[in-house]
Amino acid sequence: MARTRVHNFFVSLDGYSAGETITLDKPIGGAERLFQHFDGRVIEGVHAVDDPITLDRALTSTWGQGIGAEIMGRGKFGPQTGPWTDEEWRGWWGDEPPFRTPVVVLTHHARESISFDNGTSFHFVDATPADALERARDLAGGKDVRIGGGASTVRQFLQADLIDFMHLVTVPIVLGRGVSIWDGLEEVQDRFAIESTTTKSGLVHHFWNRER
Amino acid sequence: MARTRVHNFFVSLDGYSAGETITLDKPIGGAERLFQHFDGRVIEGVHAVDDPITLDRALTSTWGQGIGAEIMGRGKFGPQTGPWTDEEWRGWWGDEPPFRTPVVVLTHHARESISFDNGTSFHFVDATPADALERARDLAGGKDVRIGGGASTVRQFLQADLIDFMHLVTVPIVLGRGVSIWDGLEEVQDRFAIESTTTKSGLVHHFWNRER
Ligand SMILES: NC(=O)c1ccc[n+]([C@@H]2O[C@H](COP(=O)([O-])OP(=O)(O)OC[C@H]3O[C@@H](n4cnc5c(N)ncnc54)[C@H](OP(=O)(O)O)[C@@H]3O)[C@@H](O)[C@H]2O)c1
Ligand SMILES: NC(=O)c1ccc[n+]([C@@H]2O[C@H](COP(=O)([O-])OP(=O)(O)OC[C@H]3O[C@@H](n4cnc5c(N)ncnc54)[C@H](OP(=O)(O)O)[C@@H]3O)[C@@H](O)[C@H]2O)c1
């Protein structure tokens, strides 16, 4: 059975995963330090880049393994809110989005799909988490579906009990404000078997596997 | 530049990686408990098997990423010593060896190569570590080469300073006797940047990256 997985989801010591106001210059809404130990070049496997293979790298590189599609919220795709005004803009990542699979973008505002040469495509969908997951499974060709964030998207999928695996990373910084995945999720940990470990960088990696 | 990597190399608390006498029934020479937390089904990636994705699993699954060939000692291929008497025997793994790449088997006793449908082939080579590595690089098609063990093979490659990356796993057992990679390698750690982390199973994972 294909799984629904969250990978490399960074959380501050005070529980935030993004700043409150996202702009074109500030894709994490001012909380860019959450990604200070993250190297986007290594998430496809430990061989992709000729840099030391650290524990952080081995753990974050599971991101792409066996993934056939991603689901993300509109806030991860871009800073726009309300009806789309500039459809020329094709996401933060330029011509080479790292996903290399179909991506379902949750939004209340319909828009044409976008495709890239490297296998990435964005499909804009207004749906409940369960229906969005069904759509993503169709696109994933039997492989696993990644829930890519942001915080309010991961929160919805946890609330609907649709997450099988979650790799959270605690970053040793205090943000003071921002968007959290935890609002309204008291006791969510009881549905999971959880283990954690530390690395030299000061990150703490948490692996949550849903109990069967 | 392609690397030379050791993965999932299990060591007891007293420093041993195999028992002293390997037989057909005892491929690890009586030290089979070294592999008690190892699941050979998961080393190709975290998606391969529908079991919980543990930290141990994420770390051991880097084994196959970007690998184009393996080098192993004859003691990992089978229990025979001296000239080959039974060439019908094709290694411990039956018709589906997990390697799925060419494998250079170090031996002083020549023998015909063997091929399997799943991409694995064994090539029996009498050579120094440096020459064996050149041969493996030719077979690896630009990808990394894994040094697969056993202990005396890893030791030779460390002595020749040919290892770029090594993932050692300390298993919390005391064997009392056996084969060690450490003989004659005093201070070898000085050539590497080393980090380690613990997991719920009691294993300690060590990542050694050669200093440039
Ligand atoms: N910390 C991390 O590891 C991490 C990971 C990924 C992303 N991020 C960051 O997180 C931030 C975004 O997070 P966020 O929580 O603000 O936003 P988000 O989850 O990315 O997107 C939320 C928006 O998506 C749309 N949406 C969500 N669910 C929907 C549904 N069921 N049906 C229809 N539309 C739906 C709504 O937009 P509309 O109503 O406007 O259409 C909603 O405002 C960004 O800064 C991103 O870079 C952080
Ligand atoms: N703990 C772990 O993670 C781990 C990993 C892999 C394997 N193992 C275990 O380790 C054991 C084998 O280790 P080992 O140290 O006894 O043996 P090994 O390294 O597998 O093989 C040693 C043999 O290979 C041949 N050889 C090695 N270097 C050579 C060279 N440069 N030129 C020509 N021939 C060469 C020699 O055989 P001949 O002279 O007879 O030809 C030598 O006796 C097995 O039990 C295996 O299952 C453990």
Side-chain angles (χ1 to χ4, degrees):
Chain A
M1 180 60 193
R3 299 174 211 241
T4 307
R5 293 160 38 193
V6 175
H7 281 272
N8 304 342
F9 200 81
F10 294 94
V11 184
S12 70
L13 290 173
D14 46 350
Y16 298 113
S17 296
E20 277 165 340
T21 310
I22 304 161
T23 62
L24 211 50
D25 297 343
K26 303 213 158 163
I28 324 291
E32 280 65 28
R33 277 164 308 159
L34 278 171
F35 287 77
Q36 63 192 351
H37 294 291
F38 179 69
D39 180 345
R41 300 172 307 155
V42 308
I43 53 182
E44 289 281 0
V46 296
H47 54 295
V49 183
D50 188 19
D51 275 353
I53 301 173
T54 62
L55 286 159
D56 286 336
R57 185 173 172 188
L59 294 173
T60 52
S61 76
T62 56
W63 175 90
Q65 290 176 18
I67 294 290
E70 165 157 328
I71 299 174
M72 65 170 63
R74 179 193 191 172
K76 179 170 172 184
F77 176 79
Q80 300 85 351
T81 55
W84 300 96
T85 51
D86 178 8
E87 296 206 13
E88 293 298 295
W89 199 76
R90 291 152 60 91
W92 305 110
W93 304 276
D95 288 339
E96 292 259 357
F99 309 102
R100 296 167 195 274
T101 66
V103 177
V104 168
V105 181
L106 289 171
T107 174
H108 294 100
H109 301 277
R111 175 177 167 171
E112 291 286 305
S113 295
I114 317 176
S115 290
F116 296 81
D117 289 342
N118 76 355
T120 306
S121 56
F122 292 108
H123 309 272
F124 299 85
V125 170
D126 183 356
T128 63
D131 289 342
L133 182 55
E134 199 167 315
R135 178 76 190 278
R137 285 219 176 104
D138 286 345
L139 293 165
K143 293 185 169 184
D144 290 354
V145 172
R146 187 176 49 235
I147 307 301
S152 59
T153 297
V154 173
R155 189 195 312 132
Q156 284 181 64
F157 280 83
L158 282 170
Q159 260 155 353
D161 196 16
L162 292 172
I163 304 287
D164 298 312
F165 170 78
M166 181 161 70
H167 175 195
L168 289 184
V169 186
T170 309
V171 186
I173 62 174
V174 179
L175 289 173
R177 72 183 68 80
V179 189
S180 162
I181 62 170
W182 303 125
D183 291 334
L185 284 177
E186 292 81 1
E187 313 300 349
V188 62
Q189 78 285 344
D190 288 350
R191 304 200 306 257
F192 293 85
I194 301 179
E195 57 172 337
S196 58
T197 199
T198 57
T199 57
K200 214 169 187 172
S201 59
L203 299 178
V204 184
H205 295 267
H206 308 260
F207 274 28
W208 293 42
N209 282 281
R210 188 152 53 144
E211 312 261 21
R212 314 282 165 122
Chain B
M1 179 62 190
R3 299 173 211 242
T4 307
R5 292 159 40 192
V6 175
H7 281 272
N8 304 342
F9 200 81
F10 294 94
V11 184
S12 70
L13 289 175
D14 46 350
Y16 298 113
S17 296
E20 278 164 341
T21 310
I22 304 161
T23 62
L24 211 50
D25 295 345
K26 301 213 158 158
I28 324 290
E32 280 65 29
R33 276 164 308 158
L34 279 172
F35 286 79
Q36 64 193 349
H37 293 292
F38 179 68
D39 181 344
R41 299 172 307 155
V42 307
I43 53 182
E44 290 280 1
V46 297
H47 54 294
V49 183
D50 188 20
D51 276 352
I53 301 173
T54 62
L55 286 159
D56 287 336
R57 184 174 174 187
L59 295 173
T60 53
S61 76
T62 56
W63 175 90
Q65 289 176 18
I67 294 290
E70 166 157 329
I71 299 175
M72 65 169 65
R74 180 192 192 174
K76 180 171 171 183
F77 177 77
Q80 300 86 351
T81 55
W84 300 96
T85 51
D86 178 8
E87 295 205 16
E88 293 298 295
W89 200 76
R90 292 153 57 92
W92 304 110
W93 304 275
D95 289 339
E96 292 260 357
F99 309 102
R100 296 167 194 274
T101 66
V103 177
V104 169
V105 182
L106 288 171
T107 174
H108 294 99
H109 300 278
R111 174 177 168 171
E112 291 285 305
S113 295
I114 317 176
S115 290
F116 296 81
D117 289 343
N118 76 354
T120 306
S121 56
F122 293 109
H123 308 271
F124 300 85
V125 170
D126 184 356
T128 62
D131 289 343
L133 182 55
E134 200 167 312
R135 178 75 192 277
R137 284 220 178 104
D138 286 345
L139 293 165
K143 293 186 170 184
D144 290 353
V145 173
R146 187 176 49 233
I147 307 300
S152 59
T153 297
V154 173
R155 189 196 312 132
Q156 285 180 63
F157 279 83
L158 282 170
Q159 260 155 353
D161 196 18
L162 292 172
I163 303 287
D164 298 311
F165 170 77
M166 181 161 70
H167 175 196
L168 289 184
V169 187
T170 308
V171 187
I173 61 173
V174 179
L175 289 173
R177 72 183 68 81
V179 190
S180 162
I181 61 169
W182 304 125
D183 292 335
L185 285 176
E186 293 82 358
E187 314 300 351
V188 62
Q189 77 285 343
D190 288 351
R191 304 201 306 257
F192 292 86
I194 303 180
E195 57 173 337
S196 58
T197 199
T198 57
T199 57
K200 214 171 187 170
S201 59
L203 299 178
V204 184
H205 295 266
H206 308 261
F207 274 28
W208 293 41
N209 282 280
R210 188 152 55 143
E211 311 261 23
R212 314 285 165 117

